[in-house]
Coordinates of all heavy atoms in Angstrom, one line a residue:
E502 N 4.4 24.2 12.7 CA 4.3 22.9 12.2 C 5.1 22.0 13.1 O 6.3 22.3 13.4 CB 4.9 22.8 10.8 CG 4.8 21.4 10.2 CD 5.5 21.3 8.8 OE1 5.9 22.3 8.3 OE2 5.5 20.2 8.3
M503 N 4.5 20.9 13.5 CA 5.2 20.0 14.5 C 5.6 18.6 13.9 O 5.6 17.7 14.6 CB 4.2 19.8 15.6 CG 3.8 21.1 16.3 SD 5.1 22.0 17.0 CE 5.3 21.1 18.5
S504 N 5.8 18.6 12.6 CA 6.3 17.3 12.1 C 7.8 17.4 11.9 O 8.5 17.4 12.9 CB 5.6 17.0 10.8 OG 5.8 18.0 9.8
D505 N 8.4 17.5 10.7 CA 9.8 17.7 10.6 C 10.1 19.0 10.0 O 11.2 19.2 9.4 CB 10.4 16.6 9.7 CG 9.8 16.6 8.3 OD1 8.8 17.3 8.1 OD2 10.3 15.9 7.4
Q506 N 9.3 20.0 10.2 CA 9.5 21.3 9.7 C 9.7 22.4 10.8 O 9.1 22.3 11.9 CB 8.3 21.7 8.8 CG 7.9 20.7 7.8 CD 9.0 20.5 6.7 OE1 9.8 21.3 6.6 NE2 8.9 19.3 6.1
P507 N 10.4 23.5 10.5 CA 10.5 24.6 11.4 C 9.3 25.4 11.5 O 8.3 25.2 10.7 CB 11.7 25.4 10.9 CG 11.6 25.1 9.4 CD 11.1 23.7 9.2
S508 N 9.3 26.4 12.4 CA 8.1 27.2 12.6 C 8.0 28.4 11.6 O 9.1 28.8 11.1 CB 8.0 27.7 14.0 OG 9.2 28.5 14.3
S509 N 6.9 28.9 11.4 CA 6.7 30.1 10.6 C 5.6 30.9 11.3 O 4.6 30.4 11.8 CB 6.4 29.8 9.2 OG 5.2 29.2 9.1
H510 N 5.6 32.3 11.2 CA 4.7 33.1 11.9 C 3.7 33.6 10.8 O 4.0 34.1 9.7 CB 5.4 34.3 12.5 CG 6.3 33.8 13.6 ND1 5.9 33.5 14.9 CD2 7.6 33.6 13.6 CE1 6.9 33.2 15.6 NE2 8.0 33.2 14.9
L511 N 2.4 33.6 11.2 CA 1.4 34.0 10.3 C 0.6 35.2 10.8 O 0.4 35.3 12.0 CB 0.3 32.8 10.1 CG 0.9 31.5 9.6 CD1 -0.2 30.5 9.5 CD2 1.6 31.7 8.2
A512 N 0.3 36.1 9.9 CA -0.2 37.3 10.3 C -1.7 37.3 10.4 O -2.3 38.2 11.1 CB 0.2 38.4 9.3
S513 N -2.4 36.4 9.8 CA -3.9 36.5 9.8 C -4.5 35.1 9.9 O -3.9 34.1 9.6 CB -4.4 37.2 8.5 OG -4.1 36.4 7.4
E514 N -5.8 35.1 10.1 CA -6.6 33.9 10.2 C -6.6 33.2 8.8 O -6.5 32.0 8.7 CB -8.0 34.2 10.6 CG -8.9 32.9 10.8 CD -8.7 32.2 12.1 OE1 -8.2 32.9 13.1 OE2 -8.9 31.0 12.2
A515 N -6.7 34.0 7.8 CA -6.7 33.4 6.4 C -5.4 32.7 6.1 O -5.4 31.6 5.5 CB -7.0 34.5 5.4
E516 N -4.3 33.4 6.5 CA -3.0 32.8 6.2 C -2.9 31.5 7.0 O -2.3 30.5 6.6 CB -1.9 33.7 6.6 CG -1.7 34.9 5.6 CD -0.7 35.9 6.1 OE1 -0.7 36.1 7.3 OE2 0.0 36.4 5.2
L517 N -3.4 31.5 8.3 CA -3.3 30.3 9.1 C -4.0 29.1 8.4 O -3.5 28.0 8.3 CB -3.9 30.6 10.5 CG -4.1 29.3 11.4 CD1 -2.7 28.7 11.7 CD2 -4.8 29.7 12.6
C518 N -5.3 29.4 8.0 CA -6.1 28.3 7.3 C -5.3 27.8 6.1 O -5.3 26.6 5.8 CB -7.5 28.8 7.0 SG -8.5 29.2 8.5
N519 N -4.8 28.7 5.3 CA -4.1 28.3 4.1 C -2.8 27.4 4.5 O -2.6 26.4 3.8 CB -3.6 29.5 3.4 CG -2.9 29.1 2.1 OD1 -3.5 28.5 1.2 ND2 -1.6 29.5 2.0
A520 N -2.1 27.8 5.5 CA -0.9 27.1 5.9 C -1.3 25.7 6.5 O -0.6 24.7 6.2 CB -0.1 27.9 7.0
L521 N -2.4 25.6 7.2 CA -2.8 24.3 7.7 C -3.2 23.4 6.6 O -3.1 22.2 6.7 CB -4.0 24.5 8.7 CG -3.6 25.2 10.1 CD1 -4.9 25.4 10.9 CD2 -2.6 24.3 10.8
A522 N -3.7 23.9 5.5 CA -4.1 23.1 4.4 C -2.9 22.6 3.6 O -2.9 21.5 3.0 CB -5.1 23.9 3.5
N523 N -1.9 23.5 3.6 CA -0.7 23.1 2.7 C 0.5 23.7 3.4 O 0.9 24.8 3.0 CB -0.9 23.6 1.3 CG 0.2 23.2 0.4 OD1 0.9 22.2 0.7 ND2 0.3 23.9 -0.7
L524 N 1.0 23.0 4.4 CA 2.2 23.6 5.1 C 3.4 23.7 4.2 O 3.7 22.8 3.5 CB 2.5 22.7 6.3 CG 1.4 22.6 7.4 CD1 1.7 21.6 8.4 CD2 1.3 24.0 8.1
Q525 N 4.1 24.8 4.4 CA 5.3 25.1 3.7 C 6.5 25.2 4.6 O 6.3 25.5 5.8 CB 5.2 26.4 2.8 CG 4.0 26.3 1.8 CD 4.3 25.3 0.8 OE1 5.4 25.1 0.3 NE2 3.2 24.6 0.4
T526 N 7.7 25.0 4.1 CA 8.9 25.0 5.0 C 9.5 26.4 4.9 O 9.9 26.9 3.8 CB 9.9 24.0 4.5 OG1 9.3 22.7 4.5 CG2 11.2 24.0 5.3

Side-chain angles (χ1 to χ4, degrees):
E502 183 185 355
M503 304 295 284
S504 55
D505 61 349
Q506 308 295 343
S508 61
S509 62
H510 297 280
L511 303 180
S513 69
E514 183 81 25
E516 287 175 321
L517 172 62
C518 293
N519 182 61
L521 288 175
N523 186 18
L524 292 172
Q525 301 295 323
T526 302

